[in-house]
Amino acid sequence: GEVDPEEVFAAIDTNKDGVLQKEEFLRAVEMLHYQDLLKISKAIARNELSYETEHASAHEAESFGQLMARRIQVTAEVAVSKLFPAGFGWQTAATFAEGAGMDAANMDFALATGLGDGLGVALGHTAWMAGKKMITGDEEIDVTAQAQTGIFLGSAAVCSGGAWQPFVNTLQAAGFGFNSSLVLTAGCGT
């Protein structure tokens, strides 16, 4: 049946002071099964924090192997729909920027490559989701909402794509070689 959030809170709040203490939270988490954590994770990913039994996920009883296979599929989708288009957009913008006389050490170059990176992410995500809907026939994929998500993700990519070249320039000016710069920029998520 339905789960009443107030009852759940009351069960966790063992000293009944209306505030969850660290020990109470840890005790509650220790009682959770990994399937419960999966449900919470999926609810957060869907921006849905309510428990609704009629909308139970099809993934609730999946094994560790199935979970890993799904995770690899999602990672591959991210690489194809965002990472590769981001790199293509960044490199295309860098080529145009150099052709326009911009120097890689200047902020106009960083801005151009950041915009290329962001445009690649926005278009890549939107095109991937539109293609996925067309191929799978999944009516739950809202292409307009996915285009908005693409713009949101692309705007973040403008920041990281624009920060990458100045970051590399700074590392090289500090005496780091190509391999060290590669590791440090990857480690910082740029």
Side-chain angles (χ1 to χ4, degrees):
E2 288 291 314
V3 174
D4 180 7
E6 295 294 327
E7 288 179 24
V8 172
F9 183 85
I12 296 172
D13 184 21
T14 56
N15 66 2
K16 308 297 182 208
D17 65 353
V19 177
L20 287 183
Q21 304 300 322
K22 182 177 179 181
E23 296 78 26
E24 292 171 323
F25 177 77
L26 291 174
R27 197 173 316 112
V29 170
E30 286 174 355
M31 294 185 323
L32 292 173
H33 185 270
Y34 91 96
Q35 291 293 341
D36 297 321
L37 295 174
L38 267 176
K39 289 177 193 175
I40 293 168
S41 173
K42 289 173 192 161
I44 290 170
R46 289 188 306 260
N47 198 22
E48 165 194 304
L49 297 178
S50 63
Y51 178 81
E52 299 176 27
T53 55
E54 66 271 11
H55 294 104
S57 171
H59 302 293
E60 287 179 4
E62 63 188 354
S63 69
F64 180 75
Q66 291 168 320
L67 176 67
M68 290 306 297
R70 190 168 51 83
R71 184 67 227 148
I72 290 168
Q73 177 190 355
V74 170
T75 302
E77 282 188 27
V78 169
V80 171
S81 69
K82 293 165 205 53
L83 297 179
F84 296 152
F88 179 79
W90 190 97
Q91 190 61 55
T92 301
T95 301
F96 282 119
E98 284 181 346
M102 296 179 198
D103 186 285
N106 294 335
M107 289 309 285
D108 56 353
F109 184 88
L111 178 61
T113 54
L115 289 171
D117 196 327
L119 189 59
V121 169
L123 293 176
H125 176 79
T126 305
W128 177 266
M129 295 308 289
K132 186 174 180 178
K133 179 177 183 168
M134 188 170 47
I135 290 168
T136 65
D138 185 350
E139 292 300 318
E140 290 188 21
I141 297 175
D142 181 349
V143 177
T144 301
Q146 291 302 324
Q148 292 169 351
T149 299
I151 292 168
F152 180 70
L153 295 169
S155 66
V158 168
C159 298
S160 64
W164 187 83
Q165 188 67 50
F167 193 59
V168 169
N169 293 347
T170 302
L171 290 171
Q172 290 180 343
F176 288 91
F178 175 80
N179 290 336
S180 299
S181 296
L182 177 68
V183 169
L184 289 170
T185 56
C188 293
T190 60

